[in-house]
Amino acid sequence: MMRKEEFWLDVPVFQGGMGVGVSLGGLAGAVAAEGGAGTISTAQIGFRETDFAENSLRANLRAIGKELEKAKKIAKGRGMTGVNIMTVTKHYGEYVREAVRQGADFIVSGAGLPMDLPSLTKESKVKLIPVVSSLKAAGVICKRWMKKEHRLPDAVIIEGPQAGGHLGFSKEEAEQEGSRWYEDEIKRIIHFLRELGQEHGTYIPVITAGGFRDNKDLLRQQELGADAIQAATRFVVTEECDAAPAFKQAYVNCQKEDIAIIKSPVGMPGRAIRNAFIKHTEQSRIPPEHCYQCLSVCNPRETPYCITQALIRAVTGDVENGLVFCGAKAWQEEQITTVHEVIREFMEVQDM
């Protein structure tokens, strides 16, 4: 039976998975080397492979192994390195099985409910971490996993309304200032997981996410009962981040009013930096030039734009004509820093 004091990480900081190509082996390995958990996004992870357009699935599966190997080499045995796999990913099961085969320490899965994750990872030691935004979602996942596979999550990430990228909230909820209104739901989810763990003789660690910047935020989440936090935006503006310099600079340059809630082809609200691309999509549809078979929920003949193309343009440096996902507090980033410095700011108590 795991106890609270036996949590896996020396540094209770998860780096959130960011795709396409924002968090690959370079960033994930650097975070793990500091004692935290580095997360590689598998969303179109093989976009730099020569056969990506021809066979994106083959390219993506190959790249999972390459990026995990790179991350583990950088980490040198410290921390943990794992992957984020969205449940709406087409061929989801193949991505999960490949991540297990390549030795991922953990799999984070959200953008939907990862109901089949345990059945896809039988007899492996990989830690399974679903992402939820409500008590209802946490209950549905745990009930299904226990009924079908007689297991519980190894940890749960509670993602709040201040997070970046795809959100499990309505546009109105995501636009509310701050996230204190959401803390009661966090407490309810944690209480549920604590009781469930006790009932089954285990302990389910909780990682909270969304808008965290420093030690003050970490301490507040620990007061609520969380074991660790997940941060993503803070790690974008680091030298180790895998995105192009122009992508990182877009965070440094943006103002609070530049951050918007958009409707994504995934079918969920998303938070991004408002630019020429977003303004274009508000006026007219941008027909996909090619289908990369990325999302199970996408119809190329109806989608407002190709999210793969938009994300690749942004991460490779064309930040005005691509989709730049970000957290609610991206406008507070003022300079490019390092992973070591970000971790330090989370772990060290600051003078008041």
Side-chain angles (χ1 to χ4, degrees):
M1 174 180 172
M2 177 183 171
R3 299 188 301 274
K4 180 178 176 67
E5 60 269 21
E6 294 173 342
F7 185 58
W8 331 306
L9 297 171
D10 294 331
V11 174
V13 177
F14 271 67
Q15 163 253 311
M18 297 171 282
V20 169
V22 181
S23 64
L24 297 176
L27 176 57
V31 174
E34 294 289 334
T39 309
I40 295 166
S41 168
T42 63
Q44 302 296 54
I45 187 174
F47 73 100
R48 294 181 297 198
E49 298 290 307
T50 56
D51 59 344
F52 177 67
E54 171 191 329
N55 191 324
S56 57
L57 174 61
R58 183 171 59 201
N60 288 337
L61 294 179
R62 185 189 317 122
I64 288 174
K66 288 183 177 181
E67 296 300 333
L68 275 168
E69 181 181 12
K70 179 179 180 180
K72 288 180 179 296
K73 185 176 180 179
I74 294 170
K76 296 180 179 179
R78 289 210 69 201
M80 298 175 65
T81 54
V83 298
N84 180 297
I85 308 175
M86 297 188 297
T87 63
V88 293
T89 300
K90 193 170 284 190
H91 307 293
Y92 175 77
E94 293 184 58
Y95 283 75
V96 170
R97 285 188 284 268
E98 185 63 15
V100 171
R101 193 174 78 83
Q102 296 295 342
D105 294 326
F106 61 88
I107 296 175
V108 171
S109 197
L113 304 182
M115 297 302 204
D116 299 325
L117 191 55
S119 65
L120 293 167
T121 55
K122 287 181 178 179
E123 299 179 8
S124 76
K125 296 181 179 179
V126 65
K127 296 186 185 298
L128 305 183
I129 309 176
V131 180
V132 304
S133 292
S134 68
L135 175 59
K136 180 179 179 181
V140 169
I141 291 169
C142 291
K143 182 178 180 180
R144 172 66 175 264
W145 286 19
M146 281 300 297
K147 181 178 180 181
K148 293 291 184 179
E149 301 297 336
H150 305 289
R151 70 162 295 168
L152 292 170
D154 294 293
V156 171
I157 292 175
I158 305 174
E159 191 169 87
Q162 299 288 291
H166 295 113
L167 304 168
F169 298 88
S170 68
K171 184 175 185 292
E172 292 71 27
E173 289 172 329
E175 287 179 333
Q176 289 191 50
E177 189 74 22
S179 57
R180 286 295 176 122
W181 63 270
Y182 183 64
E183 288 188 353
D184 285 342
E185 185 72 354
I186 291 175
K187 292 176 182 178
R188 285 189 286 267
I189 298 171
I190 292 176
H191 178 73
F192 164 74
L193 293 172
R194 295 290 174 260
E195 289 198 331
L196 185 65
Q198 189 171 21
E199 178 185 345
H200 293 279
T202 189
Y203 182 84
I204 306 171
V206 173
I207 302 118
T208 50
F212 305 142
R213 302 198 77 256
D214 54 28
N215 179 260
K216 173 173 57 67
D217 293 324
L218 171 60
L219 293 177
R220 176 58 185 164
Q221 295 307 303
Q222 290 175 332
E223 286 175 3
L224 295 176
D227 299 275
I229 57 169
Q230 176 177 282
T233 292
R234 291 300 326 270
F235 290 108
V236 171
V237 292
T238 62
E239 295 173 2
E240 297 91 342
C241 176
D242 298 282
F247 188 95
K248 305 173 190 183
Q249 198 62 39
Y251 278 48
V252 175
N253 294 344
C254 80
Q255 302 299 314
K256 188 174 183 179
E257 57 270 22
D258 296 327
I259 299 174
I261 303 298
I262 65 167
K263 183 177 181 180
S264 164
V266 172
M268 304 169 70
R271 179 173 278 112
I273 295 176
R274 187 173 175 82
N275 57 7
F277 173 78
I278 289 179
K279 293 173 184 176
H280 187 162
T281 62
E282 291 172 343
Q283 299 300 317
S284 61
R285 179 173 180 261
I286 305 175
E289 299 170 4
H290 175 80
C291 181
Y292 294 90
Q293 301 292 311
C294 60
L295 302 173
S296 60
V297 296
C298 180
N299 182 344
R301 288 173 293 186
E302 298 178 359
T303 186
Y305 57 88
C306 175
I307 193 167
T308 286
Q309 292 171 335
L311 290 170
I312 289 175
R313 279 196 295 268
V315 78
T316 54
D318 188 359
V319 295
E320 273 303 307
N321 297 299
L323 181 57
V324 184
F325 277 140
C326 70
K329 297 180 181 178
W331 63 276
Q332 295 184 21
E333 301 303 330
E334 298 179 343
Q335 62 184 1
I336 306 301
T337 182
T338 65
V339 165
H340 177 78
E341 181 61 21
V342 171
I343 294 292
R344 186 192 68 78
E345 290 181 16
F346 276 123
M347 297 304 296
E348 291 187 7
V349 178
Q350 304 298 308
D351 293 333
M352 300 300 289

